[in-house]
Amino acid sequence: MATAIGPSVPAQGPVERSTLDRMLPYGLVAPAVFVAFAIAVVPMGYVLWLSLQDWYLLRRPAPVWGGLINYNQLFHDASLWAAFGRTWIWTIGTVFVELFLGVPIALLFNRESSVSRTASALILLPWVTPFVVLGFGWRFLLDGDVGPIQGILRMLGISGTGSVLNDPVRALIAIIIISGWKGMPFMVIAVLAALKSIPKDIYEAAEVDGAGALRRFYHVTLPAIWNTLLTVGIVLGILAFYSFDLPWIMTRGGPQTATTIVGITIYKAVFQELRPAYAAAISVVMLVLLFVASILALRLRRKD
Amino acid sequence: MKRLPFPRDVGLDLLTLGILFIILLPILWVFLASVRPDSDIASGGWIPQRFTIRHYQEIIAFPGFLVALKNSLIVGVTVAVITTTMAVPAAYALSRLSFRGRNLVALIILGTQMLPSVAVLVPLVVIVRQIGLSNTLVALIFTHLSLGMPIAVWMLRGYIERVPRELEEAALIDGCSRIGAMVRVVLPLIRPAIVAVGTFAFVLSWGEFILALALISKADTKTLPLVLQGLFDPYSFSWGRVMAGGTTIALPTILLFLVFRKQLVGGLLAGGVKG
């Protein structure tokens, strides 16, 4: 993140700096840098190397150089590309739900009242509750026999007698909505922070000019929060793109392959098909696609 | 903006409460299912009439639950302690000292925040297996450091920058070393922030699922999120028991979050945070 590099003036004391003083900063950052290397930088390099190996655990106990063999297979793997297609639907759907719920809620909560202050704190509960709990929780809520929300869906005619999770199309839609519900609070607090920074007199001026609520939103509010929406949308989109927990816990990627997104494909490639090198190649492709998509999305930023 | 007329304020407050209730209803239902008898969950309607703590007694008696609780606590507390002891000096150096490569260091540490666990899952699993650390808490602790470390550095840096430099300079002139000034002057002033980031690291580790699933398969090193699946007993199936397990994982997270909300919301906004 570019914002990480903040300006901060070095403290130059009157004292001469000794060698020990000059080495001190490196000593202080070394442990954190070591962790970052061991957990992010080294694995990223390793995954690239691994993706060029021929390593299928049932056939070979140790990796052998395979060149582009995995990428070649990956290119012809129709079920993988179907999973990639599903992952885009999942990602865009999740971010859409987050915007669709989050922006109106933030507008509603942007008031000076004790109720809205309390609400802005409690709204974060879906975000802070671990995925694993919500995954099992929603399995209960949508259970075909006892699930209370399943009961409501049945009353509304959205679902038949069985759980919505048993129907391929409805299962994907349901888990996308749940995924959006879980991420929405983050959108709310980010948009709230952006809304609070809009000067009040701009609204007054717009109101004097006779602009209605909708026009004020479109011409004053939206431009002011646009970059926040975009940045938060990208952050939440990246998280959604790499989802695993919810669809794995709720449906194991099923029914059939209806909720198999790439995160699940990677997991299965390692632990069920025992092809770690192939999984590594998928990881690399995923990273490249996400990088390109993020760069394209960032071009929508407004420059002031 | 002019003061809104009173009835409109009340109306918006009520609307706020109504929407909040709908958003939180699924979580409330999960909790209620954990304290209702199974027969009521199946047929007792939506408003609970009878309450029970039986499900909680059952999960405590469940083989592996207490082991998993112990493992989760060990991993979570260790991760919190290591994260803060590594993040404090790094944050201090990044905010107070000038050195070559500072921006690069900031980029490397904070850049890992944007890297989801699934992206590095395959190499981490292979590396952990090759160095023979599969099914150990050490592997889990080490990988969980990535969850909270970047955001901890980021948040602490913000807090340290708000401490007036004059305080430290006075200590330095009095003959204190840099580290002495950091420990004696800055640390006491940012203690609430340190507790908050430690809590945050604990909470992220406590609920973490996919790394645990990928690295741990033996019962004696499983953590709580992995045990939840095991609560589905095919012979005496009980939703109440599974929801009690879920509540046990969620409750500390939610309570700690509400306590440290003020410090954490700023951090959440700053760095995204892995879910």
Side-chain angles (χ1 to χ4, degrees), chain A residues 1-12 14 17 21-22 24-26 28-29 31-44 46-47 50 55 57 63 101 105 108-109 111-113 115-134 136-141 143 145-146 148-149 151-152 155 181-182 184 186 189-190 193 200 203-204 207 235 238-239 242-245 248-249 252 263 266-267 270-271 276 279-280 283 286-287, chain B residues 1-4 8-10 12-13 15-17 19-20 22-24 26-27 29-30 33 41-42 46 86-87 89-90 92-103 105-116 118-127 129-130 142-146 149 153-154 157 161 165 169 173 178-179 182 203 206-207 209-210 213-215 225 228-229 232 239 242-243 246-247 249-250 253-254 257-258 261 265 268-275:
Chain A
M1 282 183 304
T3 43
I5 305 138
S8 107
V9 190
Q12 287 290 3
R17 300 181 69 189
D21 268 357
R22 261 180 282 125
L24 180 66
Y26 299 101
L28 292 176
V29 296
V33 170
F34 171 74
V35 168
F37 259 89
I39 288 165
V41 181
V42 170
M44 298 287 272
Y46 190 65
V47 79
L50 201 59
W55 192 16
L57 286 175
L101 294 175
I105 290 179
L108 175 66
F109 284 12
R111 297 183 307 126
E112 297 296 328
S113 90
V115 169
S116 67
R117 264 194 302 279
T118 314
S120 335
L122 290 177
I123 192 97
L124 281 154
L125 290 195
W127 174 266
V128 299
T129 306
F131 271 107
V132 62
V133 177
L134 294 178
F136 284 105
W138 276 99
R139 253 169 81 175
F140 158 67
L141 296 168
D143 183 75
D145 297 323
V146 301
I149 291 183
I152 295 174
M155 260 169 26
W181 165 79
K182 161 103 166 100
M184 162 276 290
F186 185 61
I189 52 164
K200 295 266 189 286
Y203 284 104
E204 278 165 23
E207 217 172 340
V235 169
I238 293 173
L239 291 179
Y242 280 98
S243 287
F244 170 81
D245 299 12
W248 178 257
I249 291 165
R252 289 283 185 278
I266 288 183
Y267 182 83
V270 178
F271 291 97
S283 305
M286 218 174 162
L287 220 51
Chain B
M1 200 188 282
K2 64 175 184 286
R3 195 87 183 95
L4 290 165
R8 200 182 148 189
D9 258 352
V10 174
L12 288 176
D13 274 351
L15 185 63
T16 302
L17 289 174
I19 285 176
L20 187 67
I22 294 171
I23 296 286
L24 299 184
I27 295 175
W29 250 327
V30 167
I41 295 172
W46 291 343
M86 285 186 173
Y92 182 83
L94 288 175
S95 81
R96 280 292 200 261
L97 306 174
S98 68
F99 56 98
R100 195 186 287 270
R102 193 177 66 168
N103 289 348
V105 166
L107 193 69
I108 289 170
I109 294 175
L110 299 170
T112 57
Q113 184 67 44
M114 290 311 296
L115 205 61
V118 172
V120 287
L121 186 74
V122 179
L124 280 181
V125 167
V126 175
I127 292 170
R129 283 203 181 167
Q130 281 178 345
F142 202 76
T143 51
H144 278 188
L145 288 179
S146 68
M149 175 79 78
V153 173
W154 175 277
R157 197 170 88 143
E161 254 152 34
R165 277 170 195 283
E169 274 154 21
I173 288 165
R178 259 288 164 192
I179 292 180
M182 176 180 94
V203 159
W206 176 260
F209 181 65
I210 185 169
L213 182 70
L215 297 173
L228 222 43
Q229 179 66 43
F232 284 93
W239 273 119
V242 179
M243 294 304 107
T247 305
I249 297 174
T253 309
I254 290 174
F257 176 79
L258 289 177
R261 183 173 59 86
V265 167
L268 282 171
L269 285 175
V273 172
K274 300 166 189 182

Side-chain angles (χ1 to χ4, degrees), chain A residues 167-233:
Chain A
D167 176 82
V169 176
R170 290 189 184 121
L172 182 62
I173 295 172
I175 304 182
I176 286 175
I177 294 174
I178 293 166
S179 162
W181 165 79
K182 161 103 166 100
M184 162 276 290
F186 185 61
M187 183 68 79
V188 172
I189 52 164
V191 174
L192 259 178
L195 287 174
K196 299 242 191 262
S197 67
I198 305 177
K200 295 266 189 286
D201 43 349
I202 298 186
Y203 284 104
E204 278 165 23
E207 217 172 340
V208 170
D209 288 349
L214 215 61
R215 280 181 63 106
R216 285 203 300 271
F217 175 75
Y218 192 74
H219 290 288
V220 181
T221 315
L222 199 57
I225 63 172
W226 179 256
N227 282 351
T228 302
L229 292 181
L230 199 68
T231 313
V232 176

Side-chain angles (χ1 to χ4, degrees), chain A residues 91-101:
Chain A
T91 303
I92 293 165
T94 299
V95 175
F96 175 78
V97 173
E98 283 156 353
L99 286 168
F100 182 78
L101 294 175

